mmCIF file of all heavy atoms in Angstrom:
data_model
loop_
_atom_site.group_PDB
_atom_site.id
_atom_site.type_symbol
_atom_site.label_atom_id
_atom_site.label_comp_id
_atom_site.label_asym_id
_atom_site.label_seq_id
_atom_site.Cartn_x
_atom_site.Cartn_y
_atom_site.Cartn_z
ATOM 1 N N ARG A 3 130.414 199.457 52.058
ATOM 2 C CA ARG A 3 129.998 200.675 52.720
ATOM 3 C C ARG A 3 128.658 201.127 52.253
ATOM 4 O O ARG A 3 127.844 201.654 53.009
ATOM 5 C CB ARG A 3 131.050 201.731 52.425
ATOM 6 C CG ARG A 3 130.727 203.066 53.182
ATOM 7 C CD ARG A 3 131.893 204.002 53.037
ATOM 8 N NE ARG A 3 131.635 205.194 53.863
ATOM 9 C CZ ARG A 3 131.284 206.364 53.403
ATOM 10 N NH1 ARG A 3 131.083 206.498 52.100
ATOM 11 N NH2 ARG A 3 131.093 207.362 54.177
ATOM 12 N N LEU A 7 125.270 201.856 54.588
ATOM 13 C CA LEU A 7 124.529 203.177 54.619
ATOM 14 C C LEU A 7 123.100 202.964 54.228
ATOM 15 O O LEU A 7 122.199 203.621 54.835
ATOM 16 C CB LEU A 7 125.197 204.140 53.680
ATOM 17 C CG LEU A 7 126.541 204.716 54.156
ATOM 18 C CD1 LEU A 7 127.143 205.609 53.103
ATOM 19 C CD2 LEU A 7 126.332 205.506 55.436
ATOM 20 N N ALA A 27 102.892 213.938 56.477
ATOM 21 C CA ALA A 27 103.302 215.257 56.239
ATOM 22 C C ALA A 27 102.107 216.095 55.701
ATOM 23 O O ALA A 27 101.893 217.227 56.120
ATOM 24 C CB ALA A 27 104.438 215.302 55.252
ATOM 25 N N TYR A 33 96.687 220.222 59.353
ATOM 26 C CA TYR A 33 96.338 220.500 60.719
ATOM 27 C C TYR A 33 96.921 221.832 61.183
ATOM 28 O O TYR A 33 96.242 222.665 61.784
ATOM 29 C CB TYR A 33 96.845 219.321 61.589
ATOM 30 C CG TYR A 33 96.566 219.574 63.073
ATOM 31 C CD1 TYR A 33 95.299 219.331 63.616
ATOM 32 C CD2 TYR A 33 97.540 219.995 63.903
ATOM 33 C CE1 TYR A 33 95.048 219.528 64.919
ATOM 34 C CE2 TYR A 33 97.311 220.179 65.262
ATOM 35 C CZ TYR A 33 96.045 219.950 65.792
ATOM 36 O OH TYR A 33 95.774 220.190 67.077
ATOM 37 N N LEU A 41 94.217 230.269 65.529
ATOM 38 C CA LEU A 41 94.974 231.181 66.448
ATOM 39 C C LEU A 41 94.935 232.613 65.903
ATOM 40 O O LEU A 41 94.790 233.564 66.681
ATOM 41 C CB LEU A 41 96.454 230.660 66.570
ATOM 42 C CG LEU A 41 97.303 231.392 67.574
ATOM 43 C CD1 LEU A 41 96.734 231.193 68.986
ATOM 44 C CD2 LEU A 41 98.692 230.797 67.547
ATOM 45 N N PHE A 50 92.574 243.731 67.674
ATOM 46 C CA PHE A 50 92.205 244.941 67.042
ATOM 47 C C PHE A 50 90.726 244.924 66.526
ATOM 48 O O PHE A 50 90.148 245.947 66.373
ATOM 49 C CB PHE A 50 93.133 245.298 65.914
ATOM 50 C CG PHE A 50 93.286 244.265 64.827
ATOM 51 C CD1 PHE A 50 92.426 244.206 63.749
ATOM 52 C CD2 PHE A 50 94.286 243.330 64.932
ATOM 53 C CE1 PHE A 50 92.522 243.289 62.782
ATOM 54 C CE2 PHE A 50 94.447 242.329 63.942
ATOM 55 C CZ PHE A 50 93.547 242.325 62.844
ATOM 56 N N GLU A 57 80.880 242.630 68.698
ATOM 57 C CA GLU A 57 80.056 241.569 68.122
ATOM 58 C C GLU A 57 80.874 240.819 67.073
ATOM 59 O O GLU A 57 80.835 239.609 66.988
ATOM 60 C CB GLU A 57 78.781 242.102 67.497
ATOM 61 C CG GLU A 57 77.794 242.656 68.517
ATOM 62 C CD GLU A 57 78.073 244.103 68.928
ATOM 63 O OE1 GLU A 57 78.958 244.746 68.305
ATOM 64 O OE2 GLU A 57 77.440 244.548 69.898
ATOM 65 N N ALA A 66 86.523 230.584 65.420
ATOM 66 C CA ALA A 66 87.779 229.990 65.873
ATOM 67 C C ALA A 66 87.505 228.790 66.795
ATOM 68 O O ALA A 66 88.293 227.836 66.775
ATOM 69 C CB ALA A 66 88.613 230.999 66.616
ATOM 70 N N ILE A 69 86.948 225.539 64.609
ATOM 71 C CA ILE A 69 88.036 225.017 63.790
ATOM 72 C C ILE A 69 88.793 223.878 64.394
ATOM 73 O O ILE A 69 89.141 222.896 63.677
ATOM 74 C CB ILE A 69 88.936 226.244 63.393
ATOM 75 C CG1 ILE A 69 88.227 227.182 62.462
ATOM 76 C CG2 ILE A 69 90.259 225.698 62.757
ATOM 77 C CD1 ILE A 69 89.038 228.376 62.105
ATOM 78 N N ALA A 74 91.118 218.403 63.707
ATOM 79 C CA ALA A 74 91.411 217.024 64.133
ATOM 80 C C ALA A 74 90.838 216.024 63.172
ATOM 81 O O ALA A 74 91.468 215.018 62.867
ATOM 82 C CB ALA A 74 90.792 216.800 65.543
ATOM 83 N N MET A 75 89.654 216.287 62.652
ATOM 84 C CA MET A 75 89.023 215.358 61.641
ATOM 85 C C MET A 75 89.870 215.348 60.326
ATOM 86 O O MET A 75 90.070 214.294 59.762
ATOM 87 C CB MET A 75 87.602 215.737 61.384
ATOM 88 C CG MET A 75 86.681 215.384 62.536
ATOM 89 S SD MET A 75 84.977 215.688 62.150
ATOM 90 C CE MET A 75 84.807 217.439 62.520
ATOM 91 N N VAL A 76 90.284 216.512 59.920
ATOM 92 C CA VAL A 76 91.122 216.606 58.672
ATOM 93 C C VAL A 76 92.393 215.878 58.916
ATOM 94 O O VAL A 76 92.907 215.150 58.009
ATOM 95 C CB VAL A 76 91.335 218.076 58.301
ATOM 96 C CG1 VAL A 76 92.407 218.209 57.244
ATOM 97 C CG2 VAL A 76 90.035 218.683 57.826
ATOM 98 N N TRP A 86 98.172 202.129 54.483
ATOM 99 C CA TRP A 86 99.142 201.757 55.483
ATOM 100 C C TRP A 86 98.841 200.400 56.088
ATOM 101 O O TRP A 86 99.669 199.751 56.640
ATOM 102 C CB TRP A 86 99.174 202.851 56.620
ATOM 103 C CG TRP A 86 97.829 203.102 57.202
ATOM 104 C CD1 TRP A 86 96.975 204.085 56.797
ATOM 105 C CD2 TRP A 86 97.157 202.402 58.213
ATOM 106 N NE1 TRP A 86 95.784 204.020 57.529
ATOM 107 C CE2 TRP A 86 95.937 203.014 58.415
ATOM 108 C CE3 TRP A 86 97.483 201.322 59.025
ATOM 109 C CZ2 TRP A 86 94.996 202.586 59.320
ATOM 110 C CZ3 TRP A 86 96.599 200.895 59.973
ATOM 111 C CH2 TRP A 86 95.331 201.491 60.145
ATOM 112 N N ASP A 89 100.796 197.223 54.326
ATOM 113 C CA ASP A 89 102.237 197.156 54.225
ATOM 114 C C ASP A 89 102.764 195.865 54.889
ATOM 115 O O ASP A 89 102.240 195.455 55.924
ATOM 116 C CB ASP A 89 102.902 198.374 54.873
ATOM 117 C CG ASP A 89 102.724 199.656 54.087
ATOM 118 O OD1 ASP A 89 102.407 199.524 52.893
ATOM 119 O OD2 ASP A 89 102.920 200.696 54.716
ATOM 120 N N GLY A 92 107.085 192.155 57.539
ATOM 121 C CA GLY A 92 108.438 191.563 57.572
ATOM 122 C C GLY A 92 108.432 190.121 58.073
ATOM 123 O O GLY A 92 109.371 189.361 57.859
ATOM 124 N N TRP A 99 99.256 185.056 56.586
ATOM 125 C CA TRP A 99 97.975 184.955 57.293
ATOM 126 C C TRP A 99 97.078 186.109 57.022
ATOM 127 O O TRP A 99 95.886 185.929 56.802
ATOM 128 C CB TRP A 99 98.303 184.770 58.788
ATOM 129 C CG TRP A 99 97.147 184.542 59.651
ATOM 130 C CD1 TRP A 99 96.420 183.324 59.754
ATOM 131 C CD2 TRP A 99 96.464 185.475 60.526
ATOM 132 N NE1 TRP A 99 95.404 183.518 60.667
ATOM 133 C CE2 TRP A 99 95.415 184.770 61.150
ATOM 134 C CE3 TRP A 99 96.670 186.817 60.838
ATOM 135 C CZ2 TRP A 99 94.574 185.404 62.048
ATOM 136 C CZ3 TRP A 99 95.864 187.432 61.731
ATOM 137 C CH2 TRP A 99 94.798 186.722 62.346
ATOM 138 N N HIS A 109 94.460 180.195 50.721
ATOM 139 C CA HIS A 109 95.320 179.186 51.410
ATOM 140 C C HIS A 109 94.925 177.859 50.860
ATOM 141 O O HIS A 109 93.756 177.443 50.824
ATOM 142 C CB HIS A 109 95.036 179.234 52.895
ATOM 143 C CG HIS A 109 95.888 178.237 53.691
ATOM 144 N ND1 HIS A 109 97.205 178.465 53.803
ATOM 145 C CD2 HIS A 109 95.584 177.090 54.349
ATOM 146 C CE1 HIS A 109 97.767 177.459 54.528
ATOM 147 N NE2 HIS A 109 96.808 176.613 54.884
#
Side-chain angles (χ1 to χ4, degrees):
R3 184 171 186 257
L7 287 175
Y33 178 79
L41 188 61
F50 59 88
E57 292 83 10
I69 292 176
M75 288 186 275
V76 166
W86 53 268
D89 286 342
W99 185 74
H109 184 70

